[in-house]
Amino acid sequence: MQRVEKFLKEAGTYYLATVDGDQPRVRPFGTAHIFEGKLYIQTGKKKDVSKQIHANPKVEICAFKDGDWVRVAGELVADDRREAKQSMLDAYPSLQGMYSADDDNTEVLYFKNATATFSSFTGAPEVVTF
């Protein structure tokens, strides 16, 4: 899991795929943080992406850097605890202008039943589960 987090942070941007009814939706994200042994991402509860995740928590993310990429498929679980939100905001101070651990919008979610596949154009894929 630490390898996944490191890759996502080094890539800077990853793309999160959800479904909206029968339509795939993909958008850029930039948060990846390990808290209490789980890989978390962050969004706003008011966003469509949050509504899509709550309707169907199965998601996939993909990041690319230096000719390598990682795909992480799994389920996202919301964690409404203040400590989890604050940990994410501490890891990403730039978010503190838009989000607060005490607002009604900040949402942090962790991966459950996740499979990460590291790939490249030249090597065999490597699969990690967490």
Side-chain angles (χ1 to χ4, degrees):
M1 182 182 349
Q2 288 80 9
R3 182 177 171 202
V4 172
E5 179 201 35
K6 182 176 188 266
F7 191 101
L8 294 173
K9 286 186 175 191
E10 288 175 357
T13 301
Y14 60 87
Y15 296 87
L16 172 71
T18 61
V19 291
D20 184 9
D22 65 349
Q23 178 65 47
R25 302 288 182 195
V26 180
R27 80 278 292 150
F29 264 65
T31 54
H33 178 62
I34 294 175
F35 176 70
E36 294 183 346
K38 297 175 182 158
L39 180 63
Y40 281 76
I41 67 168
Q42 184 274 336
T43 192
K45 290 180 182 179
K46 297 174 185 173
K47 295 182 177 182
D48 287 344
V49 66
S50 174
K51 295 173 183 117
Q52 292 159 11
I53 291 167
H54 286 278
N56 182 350
K58 292 181 180 180
V59 302
E60 187 161 304
I61 63 176
C62 184
F64 183 84
K65 74 173 184 69
D66 302 327
D68 297 322
W69 63 95
V70 66
R71 290 183 307 118
V72 182
E75 298 171 52
L76 286 177
V77 177
D79 185 341
D80 285 329
R81 295 178 301 150
R82 185 184 191 288
E83 302 82 22
K85 294 175 189 180
Q86 191 60 55
S87 181
M88 177 67 78
L89 295 171
D90 289 344
Y92 290 90
S94 62
L95 294 175
Q96 293 179 22
M98 298 177 286
Y99 297 99
S100 162
D102 298 313
D103 67 23
D104 290 330
N105 186 38
T106 301
E107 183 168 44
V108 293
L109 308 108
Y110 64 86
F111 273 94
K112 176 176 118 177
N113 301 324
T115 300
T117 305
F118 290 90
S119 301
S120 72
F121 293 115
T122 57
E126 182 183 345
V127 177
V128 177
T129 59
F130 56 93

